[in-house]
Amino acid sequence: MAEAVAEQKKEKISATRALRLALSNRKTGFMALFGFASGLPFSLFLGTLYAWLSEAEVDLETMGVFSLIGLAYAFQFLWSPLVDRLDIPGLRRLGKRKQWIAPMQLLLGIILLTMAFLEPRSQLGWFSLLAGIGAFASATQDIVINAWRIDVADEEATLDILSTVTQMGFRLAALVGGALGLIIAARIGWPETYLIMGGIMLAIGIAGLFAPDADVDAATATSEHAAKTAELYEVGEIAPKQRNLALAAVGILWAWAIGTVLVFMVRSMTALPEDRPNPTEFTATYGPLIIIATIVIPAFIAAYLVKLKKDGKYVITEGRVAGKRDGLILDQLYRALVLPLVEFVGRMGWSLVLILALVLTYRICDAIWGVFAYPFYLGELNYTNDEVAFASKFFGVGAIVAGLALGGYMLTVIGRMATLTLGALLAALTNLLYADLAIGGATMQAGSDLIGFTALIQWMAPFGSEGLPRLTFTIMFENLAIGIAGAAYIAWLSSIVSKGYSAVQYALLASLTLLVATLGRGALGEMIENQGYYDVFILTTFIGFIAVVLCILEWIREKTAGRRSGVVTPDATHEVATGA
């Protein structure tokens, strides 16, 4: 008994020390900086910019063009193979990831500074062009920052802590670029506000030059590229003819997807306001088709290649050195488009079905529900704009940051899968809090009164109605749960991708949340119209419980896979240390 207590005390000390070491590591500091750099342009281009355009009296139809900016983030995975494999001439010595991160951050800083010198109404063409380029630069930065986090993680700066820190940086940037940006603009003006934000991005870009990277030796990288290409011609690898057929099929699908997005953007930018296609309808109609074309069908092709290799069919029987006649360009394209999926499918096998199911359900509550939050607060519950801003922005953002911090600590203490499962459970249960609000909020009011929260909110927000404390109480707990779940989810998602293909695999998996949002929002909106919000919250609660079950199954899968391979996972290490 005494030994067990001693072991538990030892684990507690080691967890605290591990957390302290991770937070003091320079990688963690740069991760916070990169997370902030990821969130700031996202907030400035997709939120604050519309406030500036509204103040400049730009009409709503013209503003619709700017909603195209969101497509850059929604479909960023389409060019992830490019940034994963292509080196920027003269910048490769910075590192595989930094050669993309630093230029994108500096470009974003220059764009924001330039926009500050433009007048949106009279120079709308240049303004929209810069905003569009900025959105693509921002989305590209996000791809590479996610890959950087996975590549540089080690035993000290763990993937769990880095994943938590990047989200905290992102949320703080959203607060700076959103609420603080509005406050600054109200006092000194929009051009000056964007000058400040551009200066911040330039400073981050310069500081990012000094960040560590997974590798910095261009000569080593060149030899690694050659070695990986040579591996395609070893005995047992898929024969070139079958590889090229697979590449052609995947290439056609990706070309269609990229072409579809580009044609839509050109039509939207060149058509008259009354003839412009609707971005929301485009995303809802073509979003799932693009994901099917770029992820689902290529995954089946990858599975077929894995089976051929396993069965020894259409494989190379005599190894040889790749030559010019072997078409090295095709080999590089195969490695960029097809091999990331082949590696992932081959490594996961049938477990891929479980992983995809978890990806599709884990964040479904906030992925779908977010669109209907303001109609619920303002229309259904009849709160004012000031009340919603106070509850969702002030307390809400603070609760998310607190949840992320708590989630990061839990990842260190109880392990990744335990935190992931608990986060899914909490996120599901918070839907019941909203269900209570939908029928009057008596339980939420009683809970707020019980802990003295009502008196606190009435003192902090004397402008609020008697129902503001229960709204704030509900949003606070929901965002706390979202923070915990978000920290665990990003850490888990980062852990299942391969470092060799991190940019492509992570971007592809993360993009599946788009499928959930586009397919679910229409049906959810119809359900709200027909049955009301209460039934919707009950439904999303049950969907959240499905995610909990899937988390448990994934936990079991990881433990089983770890035992079979002899590899001790971070969660397994925790269980051994605590005597579990």
Side-chain angles (χ1 to χ4, degrees):
M1 184 72 170
E3 291 180 0
V5 173
E7 286 294 326
Q8 290 178 359
K9 185 177 180 181
K10 179 181 177 183
E11 168 60 22
K12 183 178 180 180
I13 294 172
S14 65
T16 304
R17 183 171 181 272
L19 184 61
R20 187 171 63 251
L21 286 172
L23 292 177
S24 62
N25 190 290
R26 64 191 295 257
K27 293 179 181 178
T28 307
F30 278 108
M31 188 73 265
L33 198 66
F34 287 164
F36 189 91
S38 177
L40 189 61
F42 184 86
S43 175
L44 292 174
F45 289 131
L46 289 184
T48 313
L49 185 64
Y50 290 95
W52 187 1
L53 294 174
S54 297
E55 190 173 299
E57 298 182 346
V58 175
D59 62 89
L60 292 176
E61 288 186 344
T62 302
M63 261 196 257
V65 175
F66 284 83
S67 62
L68 293 172
I69 291 172
L71 293 180
Y73 295 96
F75 298 113
Q76 60 181 263
F77 66 93
L78 290 175
W79 61 94
S80 60
L82 178 67
V83 299
D84 192 37
R85 294 297 169 192
L86 186 65
D87 292 334
I88 301 177
L91 297 181
R92 184 57 182 81
R93 62 174 62 90
L94 292 176
K96 182 179 180 181
R97 305 305 181 190
K98 280 169 55 183
Q99 67 172 328
W100 284 96
I101 293 176
M104 292 302 106
Q105 291 172 346
L106 294 173
L107 176 60
L108 284 164
I110 293 171
I111 287 173
L112 291 172
L113 290 176
T114 306
M115 290 175 70
F117 291 98
L118 297 177
E119 206 288 311
R121 188 175 178 85
S122 62
Q123 297 173 295
L124 189 62
W126 283 106
F127 202 81
S128 60
L129 177 63
L130 287 173
I133 295 173
F136 277 101
S138 176
T140 301
Q141 175 195 220
D142 291 352
I143 294 170
V144 191
I145 285 176
N146 286 324
W148 181 88
R149 178 182 69 246
I150 296 165
D151 290 351
V152 303
D154 54 29
E155 293 80 5
E156 189 172 300
T158 64
L159 189 58
D160 294 340
I161 295 300
L162 293 180
S163 299
T164 302
V165 167
T166 188
Q167 289 187 85
M168 294 183 73
F170 187 95
R171 296 292 182 177
L172 288 173
L175 189 61
V176 170
L180 184 59
L182 291 171
I183 293 172
I184 296 173
R187 284 155 177 78
I188 64 175
W190 284 110
E192 292 79 7
T193 301
Y194 270 67
L195 275 176
I196 294 172
M197 300 302 173
I200 292 173
M201 284 302 304
L202 283 178
I204 293 175
I206 294 170
L209 294 171
F210 300 95
D213 207 342
D215 68 282
V216 295
D217 188 349
T220 301
T222 301
S223 63
E224 286 179 356
H225 276 295
K228 288 177 179 177
T229 300
E231 288 174 359
L232 296 176
Y233 292 88
E234 292 179 355
V235 174
E237 292 294 329
I238 298 295
K241 181 179 179 181
Q242 278 64 42
R243 277 206 311 265
N244 292 337
L245 288 173
L247 174 62
V250 174
I252 290 171
L253 291 169
W254 276 70
W256 171 83
I258 294 172
T260 299
V261 173
L262 289 177
V263 168
F264 172 77
M265 294 188 71
V266 170
R267 285 181 57 208
S268 299
M269 296 294 287
T270 57
L272 296 173
E274 60 270 17
D275 297 326
R276 286 176 190 149
N278 187 296
T280 303
E281 291 180 1
F282 173 82
T283 305
T285 303
Y286 285 95
L289 295 177
I290 288 173
I291 289 178
I292 290 171
T294 55
I295 301 177
V296 178
I297 296 177
F300 279 108
I301 293 173
Y304 177 68
L305 293 178
V306 169
K307 187 176 186 304
L308 288 180
K309 188 175 179 179
K310 189 176 294 184
D311 295 342
K313 296 179 179 179
Y314 302 108
V315 297
I316 296 173
T317 56
E318 294 183 7
R320 55 185 173 83
V321 177
K324 291 183 179 180
R325 63 187 177 85
D326 293 312
L328 296 182
I329 294 178
L330 293 178
D331 294 337
Q332 292 295 335
L333 288 173
Y334 177 81
R335 287 182 57 228
L337 285 179
V338 183
L339 208 53
L341 279 172
V342 171
E343 191 279 336
F344 193 71
V345 172
R347 177 160 49 89
M348 294 300 177
W350 284 105
S351 301
L352 183 60
V353 176
L354 171 60
I355 289 170
L356 293 180
L358 184 52
V359 168
L360 289 169
T361 57
Y362 193 83
R363 301 302 299 272
I364 192 169
C365 297
D366 50 303
I368 297 179
W369 152 243
V371 176
F372 302 101
Y374 285 112
F376 178 63
Y377 302 147
L378 300 171
E380 181 74 8
L381 302 181
N382 296 315
Y383 285 102
T384 67
N385 288 335
D386 288 343
E387 289 175 323
V388 173
F390 174 83
S392 64
K393 297 300 182 184
F394 181 73
F395 263 92
V397 172
I400 285 181
V401 173
L404 288 168
L406 181 57
Y409 182 74
M410 291 168 62
L411 285 167
T412 305
V413 175
I414 67 176
R416 183 183 300 140
M417 293 310 302
T419 308
L420 185 76
T421 306
L422 180 60
L425 179 61
L426 292 174
L429 291 175
T430 55
N431 284 272
L432 296 178
L433 307 185
Y434 279 98
D436 180 70
L437 274 187
I439 55 174
T443 304
M444 292 298 95
Q445 187 66 53
S448 179
D449 293 340
L450 182 64
I451 65 173
F453 191 78
T454 299
L456 175 66
I457 297 302
Q458 289 173 343
W459 173 75
M460 294 182 66
F463 59 83
S465 63
E466 58 86 22
L468 180 58
R470 60 175 173 263
L471 175 68
T472 310
F473 187 76
T474 304
I475 290 177
M476 183 179 67
F477 277 104
E478 184 213 19
N479 285 7
L480 190 69
I482 287 176
I484 295 171
Y489 179 71
I490 299 300
W492 170 74
L493 203 62
S494 301
S495 72
I496 63 175
V497 304
S498 169
K499 281 195 173 186
Y501 307 99
S502 54
V504 179
Q505 290 181 354
Y506 187 91
L508 289 174
L509 287 173
S511 69
L512 290 178
T513 55
L514 170 69
L515 180 62
V516 178
T518 53
L519 289 181
R521 285 171 188 164
L524 202 67
E526 186 177 347
M527 185 176 178
I528 290 172
E529 289 289 335
N530 295 333
Q531 297 176 242
Y533 282 95
Y534 178 81
D535 288 346
V536 167
F537 289 127
I538 298 300
L539 173 64
T540 52
T541 300
F542 281 112
I543 295 174
F545 287 152
I546 294 174
V548 174
V549 173
L550 293 172
C551 284
I552 295 172
L553 294 176
E554 170 64 7
W555 195 350
I556 295 171
R557 183 198 71 81
E558 289 197 7
K559 290 172 68 175
T560 304
R563 291 194 189 102
R564 288 175 180 172
S565 63
V567 176
V568 181
T569 64
D571 287 336
T573 303
H574 175 82
E575 288 167 0
V576 170
T578 56

